[in-house]
Amino acid sequence: PDVKWIAYSSNESGRFEVYVRPFDGGPAAPAGKVQISTGGGEFPVWGPAGKELYFMSGDNTIYAVDARNLDKRDNLPSPTPLFRACPDTQMTFRPQAETPYNYEFDTLDGQRFLAACRVEKPGKFTVLTNWTSAPR
């Protein structure tokens, strides 16, 4: 949001992690990359004022990181777990290789989060019978 940093996820380490790097409108320099997540992470989303960065781990836990001092790499805050999205089901879509990148969650105010969860638990199915004979 402040046009000074860009957040992204990459699997260059063998698992997806969230990184930020300074952004000046040109190509990224090799130096300057800062790893934000510590145990895997994807879907970075900036808070409304750019003071926090949110991301999701592989178990659907949403984390927050104080992003006000990203340039002080030797004193970066640790990610703080906020909550686990879809604790009784699962997300409706996790990106796979060669598929479009979609956000699994979002927030406009940093207080309320929207996550796309399945309605039914995995392995549970609802079967409708005689659905064509229902009255119209």
Side-chain angles (χ1 to χ4, degrees):
D2 64 4
V3 193
K4 295 179 184 176
W5 294 90
I6 187 166
Y8 63 97
S9 63
S10 170
N11 67 350
E12 63 191 72
S13 68
R15 72 174 170 194
F16 279 96
E17 298 285 358
V18 173
Y19 300 90
V20 296
R21 64 173 56 237
F23 181 72
D24 63 5
K33 174 177 65 175
V34 179
Q35 184 173 336
I36 298 296
S37 59
T38 56
E42 296 180 87
F43 314 111
V45 175
W46 290 104
K51 294 178 183 177
E52 287 187 304
L53 181 65
Y54 305 100
F55 67 89
M56 181 183 289
S57 66
D59 69 351
N60 299 339
T61 300
I62 306 293
Y63 287 85
V65 176
D66 185 343
R68 290 177 286 189
N69 296 312
L70 292 174
D71 51 348
K72 296 180 176 123
R73 295 177 197 177
D74 51 344
N75 195 18
L76 283 175
S78 298
T80 302
L82 299 179
F83 64 94
R84 184 164 179 241
C86 311
D88 296 327
T89 63
Q90 59 187 200
M91 304 302 282
T92 57
F93 174 77
R94 298 286 300 185
Q96 305 294 320
E98 300 177 20
T99 61
Y101 188 82
N102 291 326
Y103 283 98
E104 282 297 303
F105 77 100
D106 206 351
T107 181
L108 293 177
D109 60 7
Q111 301 296 313
R112 295 172 293 168
F113 293 79
L114 178 65
C117 303
R118 294 189 186 275
V119 175
E120 301 287 347
K121 292 183 179 183
K124 182 177 178 184
F125 299 94
T126 301
V127 178
L128 299 176
T129 59
N130 297 325
W131 60 272
T132 58
S133 63
R136 295 182 186 205

